[in-house]
Amino acid sequence: QVQPVESGGGSVQAGESLRLSCTAPGFTSNSCNIHWFRQAAGKQRDWVSFITTDGTTGYADSVKGRFTISKDKLRDTVYLQMNSLKVEDTAMYSCMPSGGGGGCAQYTWGQGTQVTVSS
């Protein structure tokens, strides 16, 4: 099993930006999609965004227009650019590959990266 490695979180003021990274070795060669999720303290994990093998992207309504997902195939890394951050964006952010290929099922949850936004 393989764990993605998330990084880039931190503590910022509302309105500021952060760029998160998710490195998941093999996701490109395995033709996996990548999803970002977040979980605020005491709440369920919510889906945030995805990017498919062909570059199609999707966003939760709560982040649409503020967050942008992209990927670097050579580095097996997916980025989540988060602009105009709000207090309600505070959460632990995690990524997870998915897809029909068996190689995409080998991943387990990583440590995540904490984002804290203060007013």
Side-chain angles (χ1 to χ4, degrees):
Q1 292 181 326
V2 181
Q3 286 184 330
V5 177
E6 302 93 345
S7 62
S11 296
V12 297
Q13 297 287 319
E16 294 184 341
S17 300
L18 284 171
R19 189 178 79 155
L20 306 184
S21 299
C22 162
T23 300
F27 92 80
T28 299
S29 59
N30 289 316
S31 299
C32 306
N33 307 317
I34 298 285
H35 297 256
W36 279 101
F37 295 86
R38 66 186 182 185
Q39 186 169 20
K43 297 187 177 181
Q44 67 179 20
R45 181 182 285 127
D46 291 329
W47 172 78
V48 175
S49 180
F50 74 83
I51 187 165
T52 67
T53 54
D54 65 359
T56 301
T57 59
Y59 302 92
D61 287 343
S62 58
V63 306
K64 200 172 293 183
R66 300 187 297 120
F67 291 11
T68 304
I69 192 170
S70 61
K71 62 180 176 180
D72 183 336
K73 294 180 181 179
L74 293 179
R75 293 180 170 80
D76 273 339
T77 297
V78 170
Y79 303 100
L80 187 68
Q81 178 67 42
M82 306 188 299
N83 297 330
S84 302
L85 282 163
K86 302 177 180 180
V87 171
E88 51 264 42
D89 294 319
T90 295
M92 181 70 74
Y93 285 71
S94 301
C95 62
M96 179 57 68
S98 72
C104 302
Q106 65 177 314
Y107 299 93
T108 58
W109 292 102
Q111 297 295 313
T113 187
Q114 178 68 37
V115 172
T116 302
V117 185
S118 57
S119 59

